[in-house]
Amino acid sequence: MIQPVQTDADLRHLNTLHLPAHAARLQPVDDASDLPTLTQAARDAGGPVLVLGGGSNIVFGRNVDGTVLHMRTLGIDLLAQSGNDVLVSVAAGENWHDWVARALAHGWHGLENLALIPGTVGAAPVQNIGAYGVELIDRLDHVDAWDMTDRRWLRLSADECRAGYRDSVFKHELAQRAIITRVAFRLTTEARVRCDYADLQRELSSRGVTQVTPQHVFDAVCAVRRAKLPDPAVLGNAGSFFRNPVLPAADAARLLAAHPDAAHYPAAHGAVKVAAAWLIDQCGWKGARRGDAGVHDRQALVLVNHGEASAADLLGLAADIQASVQARFGVTLEPEPLILR
Ligand SMILES: Cc1cc2nc3c(=O)[nH]c(=O)nc-3n(C[C@H](O)[C@H](O)[C@H](O)COP(=O)(O)OP(=O)(O)OC[C@H]3O[C@@H](n4cnc5c(N)ncnc54)[C@H](O)[C@@H]3O)c2cc1C
């Protein structure tokens, strides 16, 4: 049954930065097969349509003068199993971390490194979530979606999602157009692990783990994340506020000649990914606070809402951080979350 639309809906509890904002209409989506009807109704009502999952990668800089479709669809289906390979389809509204934990409990391995990332399964392909050496694309088989513009169902292969570093086709041609309804994962029952990431290795060795299992990786990732990142339920935040800048080789060489201690990693085609947290920290922002908007004291990449920060407070702070990094290092920082200005 289609839930009633809520008018002038408060979105503060639906975004992890806890920013005050309202939606002209808030429509829960509990069944993907209702999307043709619900998207038509949203169009007829006027204004933009925004798809919302857990609100953990979005900055409500203004009210939404249209309809927010809140994805709450649930369901996990094993589509196929052959030898060690499993193909599992998960509904968009499932909580990401709960799905990772359930996959592990089933003995379906491959997602452990992505434990404890907030948000929904349906949003994961949008920015090709990644952590501790694994990205969604490494485990993705296909994505099902409803195309609001052409009004038809889509199935995109992993290649067609055109995933990049915190990027995909859903941020470009299919932005404000494709509503992801299900994500299908290719996992394995083998106890294969990926634990070459430095923080993870440190945590595993501090626990005295030698024969590393997927469960060890899951536990270690959760521990590292809990130690480093603020829990949005306690301190409002949207995770990394900026993407790590990827510099062409020549620009990176110039930066590293002047700052040999800058944290950096190799990227595709000879480019270099520089740690945005290092750049921000060097500019003295870690732990800074302006009113209720601030920079987290353990992770300079995370902007926080200490209570009553407005979007203007937070975006003003972000702009000043960008300006100081630009002035000192000549590097442009791009925001990671979707910002509604
Ligand atoms: C503490 C913290 C830690 C984080 N750590 C990481 C990390 O390690 N790695 C990482 O990659 N990210 C991280 N994030 C960011 C965030 O968790 C992910 O981007 C997550 O996938 C967002 O999910 P969501 O459901 O909250 O999306 P939302 O914030 O609701 O939406 C984000 C974007 O996706 C779109 N969207 C949402 N659902 C759908 C759908 N079903 N179909 C189409 N479009 C949709 C929205 O319109 C919006 O553009 C972190 C965030 C926090 C708060």
Side-chain angles (χ1 to χ4, degrees):
M1 201 183 66
I2 294 177
Q3 293 294 312
V5 70
Q6 196 187 327
T7 53
D8 193 25
D10 190 353
L11 299 174
R12 191 191 283 255
H13 64 290
L14 294 180
N15 74 95
T16 61
L17 272 164
H18 311 308
L19 291 176
H22 279 72
R25 287 171 295 280
L26 175 66
Q27 174 66 66
V29 179
D30 293 324
D31 185 337
S33 68
D34 293 333
L35 282 172
T37 308
L38 295 178
T39 51
Q40 186 60 53
R43 284 280 158 90
D44 293 348
V49 177
L50 174 75
V51 186
L52 186 66
S56 65
N57 208 24
I58 199 160
V59 180
F60 285 112
R62 58 170 166 78
N63 293 330
V64 181
D65 181 25
T67 304
V68 171
L69 294 175
H70 186 207
M71 298 304 287
R72 310 194 311 185
T73 55
L74 301 177
I76 297 176
D77 295 334
L78 176 62
L79 298 182
Q81 179 151 19
S82 160
N84 290 320
D85 297 333
V86 287
L87 180 63
V88 190
S89 167
V90 184
E94 289 281 355
N95 175 275
W96 175 263
H97 175 73
D98 291 350
W99 151 236
V100 172
R102 283 159 77 180
L104 184 62
H106 277 290
W108 302 333
H109 304 138
L111 296 174
E112 308 74 47
N113 300 56
L114 302 176
L116 225 55
I117 295 180
T120 55
V121 168
V126 175
Q127 74 152 357
N128 180 29
I129 58 169
Y132 302 99
V134 174
E135 291 184 329
L136 175 89
I137 189 66
D138 302 327
R139 309 292 181 249
L140 183 66
D141 188 78
H142 64 263
V143 167
D144 292 324
W146 168 251
D147 182 338
M148 289 192 270
T149 305
D150 285 355
R151 300 195 54 76
R152 64 187 178 110
W153 296 100
L154 303 175
R155 172 160 292 182
L156 287 93
S157 67
D159 278 352
E160 287 170 326
C161 291
R162 298 215 316 270
Y165 166 57
R166 301 296 178 272
D167 200 21
S168 77
V169 70
F170 303 105
K171 284 192 167 187
H172 301 280
E173 291 95 307
L174 294 182
Q176 277 82 56
R177 177 171 171 167
I179 303 177
I180 295 169
T181 54
R182 299 194 76 90
V183 181
F185 299 85
R186 197 164 279 288
L187 304 175
T188 176
T189 54
E190 277 179 77
R192 225 185 285 149
V193 293
R194 176 87 201 265
C195 54
D196 44 354
Y197 202 91
D199 276 358
L200 202 49
Q201 278 183 351
R202 261 193 301 276
E203 179 66 26
L204 288 164
S205 50
S206 80
R207 291 166 174 240
V209 177
T210 47
Q211 294 290 311
V212 185
T213 65
Q215 183 70 53
H216 287 129
V217 173
F218 177 91
D219 293 341
V221 166
C222 291
V224 171
R225 292 185 71 98
R226 286 197 174 102
K228 268 178 45 173
L229 291 168
D231 176 354
V234 179
L235 184 59
N237 76 92
S240 303
F241 202 89
F242 301 103
R243 297 198 289 186
N244 290 316
V246 179
L247 303 183
D251 294 357
R254 262 194 302 278
L255 178 77
L256 293 172
H259 306 280
D261 51 339
H264 63 284
Y265 318 90
H269 313 299
V272 176
K273 194 189 277 185
V274 180
W278 185 89
L279 299 169
I280 298 168
D281 197 5
Q282 292 300 302
C283 293
W285 287 105
K286 198 190 264 183
R289 182 168 175 168
R290 270 201 212 149
D292 272 354
V295 179
H296 192 241
D297 55 7
R298 289 197 303 274
Q299 172 50 275
L301 203 45
V302 176
L303 301 196
V304 296
N305 179 359
H306 287 283
E308 295 300 323
S310 67
D313 297 335
L314 206 84
L315 294 174
L317 179 63
D320 289 349
I321 292 171
Q322 284 169 304
S324 68
V325 167
Q326 184 77 53
R328 174 137 182 219
F329 298 107
V331 173
T332 305
L333 290 182
E334 304 285 355
E336 185 182 293
L338 172 71
I339 299 180
L340 295 183
R341 293 183 192 273

